[in-house]
Amino acid sequence: MMKNALLGATLALALCSAKRCEAQGEPHAFPVTAASGNVAAASAVATLPGAPGLTTFISGFEITASGATAAACVNATVTGLVSGNLTYAFCAPAGVTTGAAPLVVNFNPPIPAASVNTPITLTLPSLGAGNVNAAVATHGFQE
């Protein structure tokens, strides 16, 4: 009898884990990340996806780049947020082999998407001619 009860409890736990069950009424958070990869003289875009029945949260992002033929400043934007869009200035120095100062932003507390199943997107516009390295990365979770 005890063996059957233990087997039943193990099976229930396995099914619960497979279905992303909630423990004691608390929702589980599922990590999500996105990155643009390296882009040259083009927009770098990273999107945390939306998911049916879940809200996406952004906990931070990073922007890195090298310089361009001429110095350039652009506005990076984070869209899809409950509080509206956020804008950050990012500058690339003159000189193709010169590194730009990275922009690292952490949100504490994390910021939710505007609604359930809504993606959050970070976009860095092109840094101009001669820029051969630009990348953005975002991280967050869904619950």
Side-chain angles (χ1 to χ4, degrees):
M1 186 64 115
M2 183 67 152
K3 186 176 181 181
N4 287 342
L6 184 58
L7 179 60
T10 302
L11 180 58
L13 181 59
L15 289 174
C16 184
S17 296
K19 290 184 176 184
R20 300 181 177 173
C21 290
E22 296 180 5
Q24 300 177 19
E26 293 297 321
H28 287 260
F30 305 101
V32 290
T33 61
S36 65
N38 187 57
V39 299
S43 293
V45 180
T47 301
L48 296 175
L54 298 173
T55 299
T56 300
F57 290 75
I58 185 170
S59 55
F61 67 85
E62 297 80 32
I63 299 174
T64 58
S66 62
T69 303
C73 290
V74 297
N75 289 324
T77 57
V78 182
T79 61
L81 303 173
V82 71
S83 55
N85 297 342
L86 298 176
T87 303
Y88 297 85
F90 185 83
C91 296
V96 176
T97 60
T98 305
L103 176 60
V104 178
V105 176
N106 290 303
F107 300 114
N108 188 11
I111 301 173
S115 62
V116 172
N117 196 19
T118 299
I120 297 173
T121 302
L122 169 63
T123 303
L124 175 70
S126 173
L127 295 171
N131 175 258
V132 295
N133 298 293
V136 299
T138 58
H139 42 89
F141 60 92
Q142 296 171 327
E143 64 178 25

